[in-house]
Amino acid sequence: MNSSVTEFILLGLTQDPGKQRAVFGVFLIFYLATLLGNFLIVVTIKTSRTLGTPMYFFLFYLSFADTCFSTTTAPRLIVDALSHKKTISYNECMIQVFTLHFFGCMEILVLILMAFDRYVAICKPLRYTTIMSRHVCSVLVILAWVGSCIHSSAQIFLALRLPFCGPNVIDHYFCDLQPLLKLACMDTYVINLLVVSNSGAICTVSFIILLMSYVVILYSLRNHSAEGRRKALSTCTSHFIVVVLFFGPCIFIYTRPPATFPIDKIVAVFYTIGTPLLNPLIYTLRNMEVKKAMKKLWCSKV
């Protein structure tokens, strides 16, 4: 790394003092709700004997990834909203790039595992317990961790190769490769192609895989009973909502030429803060088993 820049200035979502106070209040509530919702899911699944199926095993890791993913960006956004000095050191910026992509990729891979679990449960019900044994599920999660580490390592490798020799103002509320490419004092065409082929390809291919899995699942439901179709559709609908809310913004950000737009910050809010907040609501409000387990657990605690 050949750089004369030791820190960056994050402009945040807005520079208007009045709006910054609103950002502080709104996103503080969102972040606390994210922590509370995902914490409830993690504790409920960990302690409940009725939620021992692979779907809830993966949901446990999705909630964990959501909590960590939101924590990589939300606290700094909240603090910077009331801070006069919105700076982040070079090392902190690189750490944020790594953790953001690590837990973001982890969420993507866990969503794929959840879709695979639903596919096996609906399309191959007689072999479900054999295929989705606890050992297999554990191996799949380990592979997701390894895949996330490889992806985020590739991203940080690209970020560390960027030289910064002048401007250090990032028109965003967190560090990521796209806004950093704009500040680098070098030709970033090749690096941007690598970003698109890495992050962009992961988002796009994963989204296509998930869509195909849901098409196959919906097609196979024609042979099920009305009650079976209703239950399967309810589960798949909640999964599909999460997929669209997460992958739509990701594809918009990471699969385009090296350019930044004012709308990027708003789009990023959907997948960095919105999705981790909505996941607990979607998976609890639409899932009777989780609601019953939560009620039983917390009533016994009280």
Side-chain angles (χ1 to χ4, degrees):
M1 187 272 294
N2 181 21
S3 176
S4 60
V5 173
T6 59
E7 65 179 18
F8 298 98
I9 299 172
L10 296 171
L11 293 184
L13 285 177
T14 178
Q15 297 178 63
D16 182 281
K19 292 180 180 179
Q20 285 179 344
R21 287 191 288 271
V23 166
F24 173 82
V26 170
F27 286 96
L28 177 61
I29 294 171
F30 284 175
Y31 180 57
L32 293 178
T34 299
L35 294 181
L36 177 62
N38 285 294
F39 174 76
L40 288 175
I41 289 179
V42 166
V43 173
T44 301
I45 293 175
K46 198 68 176 176
T47 57
S48 176
R49 295 180 179 178
T50 61
L51 302 180
T53 61
M55 182 176 76
Y56 299 112
F57 179 77
F58 295 136
L59 180 57
F60 173 89
Y61 285 99
L62 180 66
S63 293
F64 175 76
D66 274 335
T67 302
C68 297
F69 186 54
S70 180
T71 301
T72 61
T73 58
R76 181 166 289 277
L77 170 63
I78 294 165
V79 171
D80 284 352
L82 296 183
S83 175
H84 294 291
K85 188 180 181 183
K86 300 176 176 62
T87 59
I88 180 171
S89 71
Y90 177 87
N91 289 336
E92 289 174 332
C93 183
M94 295 300 108
I95 291 172
Q96 189 174 54
V97 170
F98 180 85
T99 54
L100 178 77
H101 284 272
F102 181 86
F103 291 110
C105 186
M106 183 68 185
E107 181 162 352
I108 289 174
L109 296 178
V110 172
L111 285 172
I112 292 176
L113 294 180
M114 293 179 76
F116 176 69
D117 171 68
R118 290 301 84 202
Y119 164 77
V120 176
I122 295 171
C123 300
K124 301 181 183 297
L126 298 179
R127 299 178 57 196
Y128 178 71
T129 54
T130 304
I131 296 174
M132 300 303 295
S133 65
R134 180 50 65 98
H135 174 72
V136 170
C137 292
S138 299
V139 171
L140 291 174
V141 169
I142 291 172
L143 291 176
W145 282 101
V146 173
S148 301
C149 188
I150 293 172
H151 165 70
S152 53
S153 297
Q155 297 297 102
I156 197 65
F157 174 77
L158 295 176
L160 290 172
R161 289 177 61 85
L162 296 174
F164 304 99
C165 40
N168 67 336
V169 178
I170 299 176
D171 188 15
H172 217 304
Y173 62 91
F174 63 88
C175 284
D176 199 5
L177 275 169
Q178 292 289 7
L180 287 175
L181 288 173
K182 190 176 179 180
L183 300 180
C185 49
M186 65 174 288
D187 183 2
T188 59
Y189 178 77
V190 174
I191 291 184
N192 184 76
L193 285 180
L194 293 174
V195 171
V196 171
S197 63
N198 188 339
S199 297
I202 287 175
C203 291
T204 305
V205 172
S206 299
F207 184 61
I208 293 172
I209 290 173
L210 289 168
L211 286 182
M212 290 174 61
S213 71
Y214 289 126
V215 169
V216 172
I217 289 171
L218 291 175
Y219 180 76
S220 68
L221 286 176
R222 72 191 192 284
N223 298 322
H224 287 63
S225 64
E227 177 62 22
R229 286 198 300 268
R230 186 198 63 78
K231 188 174 181 180
L233 281 172
S234 176
T235 302
C236 290
T237 300
S238 62
H239 290 196
F240 186 73
I241 292 172
V242 172
V243 166
V244 172
L245 289 175
F246 185 82
F247 284 95
C250 284
I251 292 173
F252 174 79
I253 295 292
Y254 294 111
T255 58
R256 68 181 195 215
T260 56
F261 305 106
I263 198 176
D264 286 355
K265 293 186 284 187
I266 304 301
V267 172
V269 167
F270 279 95
Y271 70 87
T272 59
I273 296 174
T275 304
L277 171 65
L278 291 175
N279 276 350
L281 298 176
I282 291 171
Y283 284 110
T284 55
L285 295 179
R286 295 184 59 87
N287 191 310
M288 190 60 68
E289 288 180 305
V290 176
K291 286 194 288 186
K292 286 182 179 178
M294 277 189 178
K295 187 175 180 181
K296 182 178 180 181
L297 172 65
W298 299 107
C299 284
S300 65
K301 295 293 182 182
V302 172

